[in-house]
Amino acid sequence: MSTMENVHLVPEDEDDLYSGFNTFDPALATQSLELDAGFQKAVQTSHGRRPPPPMAATKPGTGRLGTGSGRGPTTSAGRTRQGSADGVRPMTAVMAAGFTSAGTRSGSAGTMFDPLGDVSSRGAPQLERKLDDSAEEKIKKMEKRVLDLVEESQFANSIGDLSLALERAKQAGRQERQLVRQRETLGSATADNNLNLDLTYTVLFNLACQYIASEMWTEALSTFQVIIRNKMFSNAGRLKVNIGNIYFKQKEYHKAIKYYRMALDQIPTSHKDVRMRIMQNIGIVFVKMGQFGDAITSFEHIMSERPDFKTGFNLLLCYYALNDKDNMKKAFLKLLQTELNIDDDDKYLPTEDAHSNLILEAIKNDSLRQIERQKRQEAERCVVTAAKIISPCIDVTFSVGYDWCVEQVKASNHADLAHDLEINKAIAYLKQKDFGKAVETLKGFERKDSKLAAHAATNLSFLYFLQKEYATADKYAEAALATDRYNPSALVNKGNILFKQGDVEKALEYYNDAISNEASCIEALYNLGLVYKKLDRKEEALDCFYKLHAILRNHPEVMYQIANLYETLEDPDQAMEWYMQLVGVIHSDPTMLKSMGELCDYIGDKSQAYQYHYDSYRYLPSNMQVIEWLGAYFIDSQFPEKAIHYFERAALVQPSEVKWRLMVASCHRRSGNYQQALNTYKLIHKRFPDNVECTCNRLSRLSRLSRLSHLSRLSRLSRLSCLSRKRMFT
């Protein structure tokens, strides 16, 4: 069978199965678009529409009206649209709704988003853009500029640039006044409610604050008065507190109290915190004026309404000033009864819940936690300081009074401060030079809590070190280190003991360990610098003292060590620069002035060296090196009579030293006063008969000189007598 037998041939009259698929609306034909002039013109326009067809030249009224079944309006590609005139849509989905290539290419600012072609079909005008130079826009821009200037002023104040802050505040004031005039010009200020009172208040208040920061009190007062006198500002009377603060800084206490009381009248009773703060200011002003009774009235009122530690401490100080022992005790008890109003530290302890631990890790050192620490530290400081102040006054002896304070603290909510008070008691004994009681007090901690025992052992080690009992000091230092190996104070004590025992290298290790555990341990840094200096490792010593200078700015001892190290490194310029900085900190240190004089003498500036040595002599006239230098300076300057004063001073300081008396006699001899020199040598020989050789040599020389001077006087007298006789005979 052939293959053609299975092929079915379609007869001529049978319908084509695929007919109609290639038939489409002529409007969708794309073959002739390049030759379509209307389409090419539409592509080149910004609207993407064909130009309207020319109107047929028909007579009026003869045109044929379109029906709903007729062809609708065409698209830019010649496609028909279907629908009513109010809401046309694309006839097919060939073209994306509204996103045409022509519209994208045009990119003009006036092109509107019109996916359904509503606006383009109706030819509706675009929305007009708001003009930037309208009156309201100008006023808004000026207001924004004023607020920006206020912010710049505040930022400059925060970084310490007070001049720039004041300049920006003044500029904001000028801009705000210009804004008000602009409103009046545009007719916007006919009604008071159109004024931006908040902006005016902000500008004036900021300007007053910048005047206060620059200590321009008169200008600040004037600015605050402008705000207060303006009745349109609500609650402006509260700013009288600021005026009271200015008068307080000017030490015009009566005016300060007046304005504080006026401000207190403006504050409603519902605002207790603000009222209590103003009452506290009034109490402090009374303290400054010495009116402790009135101050006590203010502080007592605060303690009855809103007690706090600072007010309780001030109340106790007022009773202390009046020497009222009973009320001192009562004030101390009120201080202990004051609530801290913060949570315990137990809430920051880790738990078994991992999520809770993450939260605790995030909040354990946040800003709120830091505020809690500050409040707790302030409360502890007030309690401890109050106990130190009143303990010598409330009872017969300091010890009994302090014991009463400790017992009251143990019975209060601040029981954890009792041990600190006992240690402070030992330190107080130490300040009173009562080492026995200090040691006895500290030894009482040996059988207590390990932390307290370590603290007490550290202090005991230092006490025995001061008493030069190095073996006992070493014992307690080891005890403190056994409890806490990373205790920097105990490490410094151990290093000090080793240094005194001569083991400098081992002391160096302990000082370095102390710094490793606490980078800001100033005792370890200073001692380490001294050890490096002793070992002649001057560069490392200089590095230590520079680090210490970064921690303790303008500390005299640190600055002196740096200057002295530069002096030993033979860098006189740097040494003199540091000495000059040191003079700005302390003006009357004789050792420092002597060092500066020696440095000037080294570089050859004799006059400046004399000035520094003389200043050192004025502050410490018993320094033998300075006295000797001044005497030698006047001898070298050929003024031996001025050197006599300094050598006589040296003879008073060291009466058993014959050297200074011989120098006095030598100065008399150099100045030509031989008789006085001879008398001085005789006194020296009488007081120091063993110094025979020196005295005899000078006696023989002076006898010869005095004899020659006597003979010369006799010969002069004989010549004069001969001349007088000749005149008589003639």
Side-chain angles (χ1 to χ4, degrees):
M1 185 183 292
S2 68
T3 57
M4 293 300 294
E5 295 179 357
N6 296 325
V7 177
H8 174 69
L9 297 177
V10 178
E12 294 292 336
D13 56 350
E14 190 175 352
D15 293 336
D16 188 2
L17 296 176
Y18 300 100
S19 62
F21 287 99
N22 292 328
T23 304
F24 52 89
D25 193 283
L28 300 177
T30 59
Q31 291 83 0
S32 61
L33 288 179
E34 295 180 358
L35 302 176
D36 190 346
F39 175 77
Q40 294 299 328
K41 189 174 181 180
V43 170
Q44 295 174 2
T45 62
S46 62
H47 299 289
R49 296 197 303 271
R50 283 180 179 272
M55 297 296 295
T58 58
K59 293 182 180 181
T62 60
R64 184 180 176 183
L65 296 176
T67 62
S69 61
R71 290 277 305 270
T74 60
T75 64
S76 62
R79 303 182 183 91
T80 59
R81 295 175 183 262
Q82 187 176 1
S84 64
D86 294 333
V88 294
R89 63 177 179 81
M91 185 175 180
T92 66
V94 174
M95 182 179 61
F99 298 98
T100 62
S101 59
T104 306
R105 285 195 302 270
S106 63
S108 62
T111 303
M112 298 180 62
F113 179 71
D114 184 22
L116 299 179
D118 293 340
V119 177
S120 60
S121 64
R122 295 194 301 268
Q126 299 179 4
L127 294 175
E128 293 184 1
R129 297 182 60 189
K130 197 178 230 182
L131 296 177
D132 292 339
D133 56 350
S134 63
E136 285 120 12
E137 288 296 325
K138 286 182 178 179
I139 289 175
K140 286 182 179 179
K141 286 183 179 179
M142 293 181 72
E143 288 180 348
K144 186 177 184 306
R145 176 58 181 160
V146 171
L147 288 174
D148 290 341
L149 287 171
V150 172
E151 290 181 1
E152 291 176 13
S153 173
Q154 292 291 332
F155 180 75
N157 182 281
S158 65
I159 62 177
D161 193 349
L162 300 181
S163 60
L164 179 61
L166 183 58
E167 179 185 351
R168 290 290 184 267
K170 290 180 178 179
Q171 190 175 353
R174 291 192 294 268
Q175 293 281 344
E176 195 273 335
R177 289 191 294 273
Q178 185 178 353
L179 172 62
V180 172
R181 289 193 295 269
Q182 183 74 12
R183 285 179 182 273
E184 293 175 352
T185 303
L186 296 174
S188 300
T190 55
D192 292 339
N193 56 1
N194 289 332
L195 293 174
N196 194 341
L197 295 177
D198 292 338
L199 182 63
T200 305
Y201 184 91
T202 302
V203 171
L204 290 174
F205 183 75
N206 177 63
L207 180 60
C209 291
Q210 301 310 325
Y211 279 136
I212 292 175
S214 301
E215 297 185 357
M216 301 172 67
W217 311 121
T218 306
E219 292 82 356
L221 287 171
S222 301
T223 308
F224 278 126
Q225 291 291 352
V226 170
I227 300 175
I228 291 171
R229 289 171 183 171
N230 193 335
K231 302 300 182 183
M232 300 177 67
F233 295 137
S234 60
N235 299 324
R238 299 185 182 186
L239 294 182
K240 292 176 181 177
V241 175
N242 301 66
I243 297 178
N245 293 338
I246 294 174
Y247 282 126
F248 179 80
K249 290 180 180 179
Q250 291 181 320
K251 297 184 179 180
E252 297 185 24
Y253 299 127
H254 291 285
K255 290 184 178 180
I257 290 177
K258 172 186 173 183
Y259 276 93
Y260 283 145
R261 286 176 171 169
M262 291 169 66
L264 194 63
D265 294 336
Q266 299 283 333
I267 307 297
T269 55
S270 57
H271 297 173
K272 281 191 175 181
D273 289 336
V274 181
R275 292 180 63 86
M276 293 304 106
R277 288 179 181 274
I278 297 175
M279 288 289 293
Q280 190 173 23
N281 289 356
I282 293 173
I284 292 173
V285 175
F286 279 129
V287 170
K288 287 288 187 179
M289 296 171 62
Q291 300 179 14
F292 298 108
D294 296 328
I296 287 171
T297 303
S298 298
F299 293 142
E300 287 282 6
H301 177 70
I302 298 172
M303 291 299 290
S304 62
E305 295 289 333
R306 287 287 177 89
D308 64 274
F309 286 94
K310 187 179 293 185
T311 305
F313 183 72
N314 291 335
L315 178 62
L316 184 140
L317 289 178
C318 291
Y319 284 127
Y320 176 79
L322 297 175
N323 198 22
D324 191 341
K325 298 181 181 180
D326 294 334
N327 282 320
M328 270 192 275
K329 290 184 177 181
K330 292 178 181 179
F332 187 72
L333 293 176
K334 286 183 180 179
L335 187 66
L336 294 177
Q337 292 170 1
T338 304
E339 296 292 337
L340 196 55
N341 295 326
I342 60 174
D343 296 332
D344 295 332
D345 292 338
D346 296 341
K347 72 175 184 180
Y348 296 103
L349 297 176
T351 61
E352 297 179 356
D353 188 2
H355 181 67
S356 299
N357 289 336
L358 290 175
I359 296 175
L360 291 174
E361 188 69 24
I363 68 172
K364 71 178 183 180
N365 200 30
D366 61 352
S367 57
L368 182 59
R369 173 64 171 157
Q370 292 175 3
I371 293 174
E372 289 180 349
R373 283 202 194 102
Q374 291 175 1
K375 291 183 67 176
R376 188 180 297 277
Q377 290 172 2
E378 180 183 354
E380 293 176 356
R381 182 183 61 83
C382 289
V383 172
V384 173
T385 309
K388 290 180 182 178
I389 291 173
I390 68 172
S391 54
C393 305
I394 59 177
D395 220 310
V396 180
T397 62
F398 160 77
S399 177
V400 177
Y402 213 100
D403 290 338
W404 180 86
C405 293
V406 171
E407 292 299 325
Q408 298 302 321
V409 170
K410 287 181 179 179
S412 68
N413 296 329
H414 307 280
D416 52 340
L417 293 177
H419 299 304
D420 294 335
L421 285 174
E422 291 182 2
I423 291 178
N424 288 332
K425 180 182 177 181
I427 296 173
Y429 280 132
L430 186 61
K431 291 180 179 179
Q432 295 174 1
K433 308 295 184 182
D434 194 345
F435 293 99
K437 290 186 177 180
V439 171
E440 181 183 354
T441 304
L442 290 173
K443 283 184 176 181
F445 289 93
E446 292 181 355
R447 292 178 295 276
K448 292 186 178 180
D449 181 66
S450 58
K451 184 178 180 181
L452 295 172
H455 196 175
T458 304
N459 290 328
L460 283 169
S461 175
F462 181 67
L463 281 174
Y464 283 117
F465 178 81
L466 293 178
Q467 292 177 340
K468 298 182 180 180
E469 298 181 17
Y470 300 126
T472 310
D474 185 53
K475 167 190 165 186
Y476 282 104
E478 289 290 348
L481 289 174
T483 305
D484 184 5
R485 183 65 182 82
Y486 303 101
N487 185 351
S489 300
L491 290 169
V492 171
N493 287 342
K494 181 67 175 178
N496 293 342
I497 295 165
L498 292 171
F499 181 81
K500 282 295 184 179
Q501 291 175 350
D503 194 350
V504 181
E505 294 293 339
K506 196 69 174 175
L508 200 64
E509 294 180 9
Y510 277 97
Y511 292 144
N512 282 320
D513 289 344
I515 295 172
S516 300
N517 295 323
E518 186 179 336
S520 60
C521 184
I522 57 177
E523 296 87 357
L525 273 173
Y526 189 82
N527 293 347
L528 185 63
L530 293 179
V531 171
Y532 280 137
K533 187 177 178 182
K534 184 178 179 62
L535 295 174
D536 204 25
R537 295 160 64 174
K538 297 184 177 60
E539 294 293 340
E540 293 172 283
L542 200 60
D543 183 55
C544 289
F545 288 120
Y546 264 115
K547 289 179 181 178
L548 197 57
H549 179 67
I551 300 172
L552 302 174
R553 302 297 296 182
N554 299 329
H555 194 278
E557 295 182 9
V558 178
M559 296 172 71
Y560 174 78
Q561 292 294 340
I562 294 174
N564 185 256
L565 282 169
Y566 275 122
E567 191 175 355
T568 56
L569 290 170
E570 297 183 356
D571 190 348
D573 295 332
Q574 284 287 342
M576 183 56 70
E577 180 181 348
W578 278 96
Y579 277 131
M580 293 302 294
Q581 293 183 31
L582 188 58
V583 169
V585 178
I586 51 173
H587 314 282
S588 58
D589 184 78
T591 305
M592 179 264 299
L593 293 170
K594 169 180 166 294
S595 300
M596 295 180 71
E598 291 174 350
L599 188 60
C600 290
D601 190 17
Y602 174 76
I603 62 180
D605 191 352
K606 290 286 186 181
S607 60
Q608 194 66 35
Y610 163 73
Q611 186 63 45
Y612 285 126
H613 276 96
Y614 179 71
D615 291 340
S616 176
Y617 172 76
R618 285 194 305 114
Y619 291 116
L620 184 64
S622 60
N623 191 327
M624 300 306 300
Q625 295 178 352
V626 175
I627 292 173
E628 186 176 6
W629 190 93
L630 288 170
Y633 170 77
F634 282 115
I635 290 175
D636 293 340
S637 302
Q638 304 299 322
F639 294 106
E641 63 277 3
K642 292 185 178 181
I644 294 173
H645 167 72
Y646 297 101
F647 291 128
E648 287 178 347
R649 172 73 65 174
L652 290 175
V653 177
Q654 294 181 347
S656 60
E657 182 65 46
V658 68
K659 168 185 173 182
W660 308 118
R661 300 178 186 275
L662 292 174
M663 292 299 295
V664 172
S666 176
C667 289
H668 284 303
R669 180 175 58 82
R670 288 173 184 270
S671 60
N673 193 353
Y674 299 112
Q675 188 61 42
Q676 184 65 34
L678 180 60
N679 295 334
T680 305
Y681 280 125
K682 288 180 179 179
L683 291 174
I684 295 171
H685 178 66
K686 183 177 180 180
R687 182 162 185 179
F688 301 97
D690 296 336
N691 197 351
V692 177
E693 182 178 357
C694 182
T695 306
C696 289
N697 288 337
R698 282 165 171 74
L699 282 173
S700 61
R701 190 185 307 169
L702 285 170
S703 297
R704 185 170 62 254
L705 290 173
S706 62
R707 191 183 310 113
L708 290 174
S709 62
H710 181 64
L711 291 174
S712 63
R713 285 196 298 272
L714 288 175
S715 62
R716 193 180 303 114
L717 288 173
S718 62
R719 286 197 301 271
L720 289 173
S721 62
C722 291
L723 288 173
S724 61
R725 286 172 186 167
K726 287 180 181 179
R727 287 182 189 138
M728 289 175 65
F729 287 119
T730 56

